[in-house]
Amino acid sequence: MIQVALENVSKIYGKVQAVQSVSLDVQQGEFFTLLGASGSGKTTLLRLIGGFETPDTGCIYIGGKDVSRLPAYKRNVHTVFQDYALFPHLSVFENVGYALQAKRSPVAEISQRVTEALKLVQLAEMAQRLPAQLSGGQKQRVALARAIVDRPDVLLLDEPLSALDAKIRMELRQELKQLQRQTGISFIYITHDQEEALALSDRIAILKSGKLLQVGTPLEVYEQPADLYVAEFIGRANFLDGMLLSVDGNRGRVQIGETAVVEGTVVEGTTAAISPGNAVRLVVRPENICLNHANIGHATTIIQSQYLGYATSYLVQAIGLNFHVMELRRRGTSPYKEGERVFISWEWMEALIFSTN
Ligand code: ADP
Ligand code: MG
């Protein structure tokens, strides 16, 4: 069932098209992430869904109802921000119960719901503390408990982990996912961290300059990026600029420099068709490159070899270019050494060719 739907939503600030004709659906109980660089329109989109902004064009539906002109407090939607915005003079319990208190819910019900929410964020023991007596991660847990205590249909989260240090961020990332699964609330989550997006999301929407480039599962956006920008933004990759020589089905041959020829899958862009003679960029991920001594592919020299335990990371030079290669450790083999001469190859299906015209 669709929980939130946007139809051709646009928002303009002066000369800035913050959000440009965005259409998307978020399912009930889905962990949905808006991913994009700073200034790509993520917060504006969230504020439109939350009712803090009104769209210039288009419609927003929550639970099938058109809420485009409905103020924030009439939408069953809560928002969690990067800065926890707790009341400093109220205890953890009172902070979490604040909205229920304001609605004059019965005391027994408040107590039961707040206790349950605090349990969900592992803060049952800290109900009587003041915010000043908590760590950053704990404060953000209180903010989360407060946001879910009256079971909204949708929870909007604007980079809620970005103020925390790396270790706490990883811990809270796991808990956030668990919280979403346990409550079944639809989460719309903002991040500019592509790894966080891959780890948490059921689906990811990638934004650039207010435009939606692709919506897909983590696997889809990583393995089948619809656009060169998406391929560059998500994960690591090697980029080879050249000219498309020929296409057979979707198997393309690309000339790199004067003489080298490599192969990949031609990705039909949403805009222009791609044909021989076009300037293209071939994208191949480090883990899809195979190093071998069997004369397959192009001759190369290992420039750098970094043993990481679970994998070895290489910098190699072939066809006049540097490549980053990642090989998972296999038992009984030893990593290639710096200066060693090997061959570099990849399956044509594992590399993607985009037009750069
Ligand atoms: P993000 O959250 O992805 O960093 P924002 O949604 O905050 O991006 O901003 C998108 C664009 O809209 C930016 O160019 C930003 O400067 C502009 N913008 C956002 N809010 C306002 C505002 N209230 N007034 C003017 N410009 C704004
Ligand atoms: Mg933002």
Side-chain angles (χ1 to χ4, degrees):
M1 198 189 99
I2 294 171
Q3 182 66 264
V4 179
L6 273 62
E7 275 178 13
N8 296 314
V9 171
S10 295
K11 182 72 191 176
I12 302 165
Y13 295 114
K15 285 191 185 128
V16 180
Q17 274 262 11
V19 172
Q20 298 192 48
S21 197
V22 167
S23 299
L24 56 81
D25 293 334
V26 177
Q27 301 293 319
Q28 193 172 39
E30 186 172 25
F31 199 121
F32 190 91
T33 296
L34 301 172
L35 175 66
S38 173
S40 58
K42 305 181 296 294
T43 295
T44 305
L45 206 48
L46 213 66
R47 291 175 59 81
L48 287 162
I49 298 168
F52 305 106
E53 297 282 359
T54 315
D56 292 321
T57 64
C59 292
I60 298 171
Y61 301 88
I62 297 176
K65 196 171 123 201
D66 187 347
V67 298
S68 310
R69 312 277 147 201
L70 213 60
Y73 72 92
K74 288 197 176 161
R75 305 183 187 191
N76 195 11
V77 170
H78 288 323
T79 309
V80 175
F81 299 99
Q82 177 184 329
D83 53 2
Y84 331 108
L86 302 178
F87 298 115
H89 58 291
L90 298 183
S91 70
V92 165
F93 186 97
E94 289 161 337
N95 263 288
V96 175
Y98 189 82
L100 299 173
Q101 197 103 48
K103 272 198 255 175
R104 305 195 186 286
S105 303
V107 173
E109 187 193 325
I110 295 177
S111 171
Q112 188 235 323
R113 289 230 208 170
V114 171
T115 305
E116 190 192 20
L118 286 176
K119 259 194 210 140
L120 278 170
V121 297
Q122 345 274 343
L123 280 183
E125 314 296 310
M126 306 210 175
Q128 296 317 316
R129 289 210 193 170
L130 290 172
Q133 298 168 309
L134 301 174
S135 70
Q138 289 167 336
K139 282 183 204 162
Q140 194 53 294
R141 287 200 182 94
V142 177
L144 283 168
R146 183 181 55 184
I148 57 156
V149 72
D150 60 349
R151 295 297 163 112
D153 296 326
V154 183
L155 189 60
L156 309 175
L157 304 105
D158 194 347
E159 312 221 19
L161 308 184
S162 60
L164 304 169
D165 66 45
K167 186 163 170 285
I168 307 289
R169 198 157 66 221
M170 288 296 273
E171 272 172 37
L172 222 60
R173 188 200 274 187
Q174 303 296 335
E175 287 183 22
L176 207 56
K177 178 89 177 190
Q178 263 179 26
L179 185 67
Q180 193 273 328
R181 289 294 189 248
Q182 282 171 349
T183 58
I185 297 169
S186 305
F187 275 26
I188 304 182
Y189 185 85
I190 288 188
T191 183
H192 62 269
D193 179 336
Q194 48 93 18
E195 194 185 292
E196 196 170 282
L198 291 175
L200 284 173
S201 317
D202 292 315
R203 283 187 307 152
I204 302 171
I206 294 122
L207 284 168
K208 182 195 177 194
S209 309
K211 284 195 198 130
L212 197 59
L213 294 183
Q214 185 173 7
V215 181
T217 63
L219 195 121
E220 284 165 350
V221 296
Y222 185 82
E223 295 192 3
Q224 297 154 37
D227 183 282
L228 183 58
Y229 181 85
V230 176
E232 290 176 343
F233 196 74
I234 296 190
R236 292 188 69 171
N238 297 287
F239 300 98
L240 287 70
D241 286 319
M243 187 192 70
L244 190 64
L245 288 175
S246 64
V247 184
D248 177 9
N250 59 350
R251 181 172 183 169
R253 293 168 69 243
V254 178
Q255 181 176 330
I256 310 289
E258 297 288 302
T259 52
V261 175
V262 294
E263 290 191 319
T265 306
V266 172
V267 181
E268 283 296 342
T270 42
T271 45
I274 176 169
S275 40
N278 283 170
V280 293
R281 186 167 293 168
L282 182 135
V283 180
V284 59
R285 304 244 183 236
E287 69 273 22
N288 289 332
I289 296 180
C290 171
L291 298 176
N292 67 85
H293 273 306
N295 276 16
I296 302 168
H298 298 273
T300 176
T301 307
I302 308 275
I303 305 293
Q304 229 179 60
S305 169
Q306 279 184 319
Y307 177 69
L308 303 174
Y310 68 98
T312 311
S313 167
Y314 299 102
L315 180 69
V316 306
Q317 222 159 48
I319 59 173
L321 299 169
N322 284 337
F323 289 82
H324 176 218
V325 181
M326 188 68 104
E327 263 194 355
L328 269 188
R329 264 315 272 134
R330 281 190 310 264
R331 213 166 267 283
T333 63
S334 48
Y336 297 107
K337 295 187 177 54
E338 286 170 9
E340 196 169 341
R341 297 187 62 83
V342 294
F343 287 82
I344 174 177
S345 70
W346 58 82
E347 301 281 339
W348 68 272
M349 293 87 80
E350 309 266 33
L352 301 174
I353 300 169
F354 295 93
S355 168
T356 48
N357 278 345

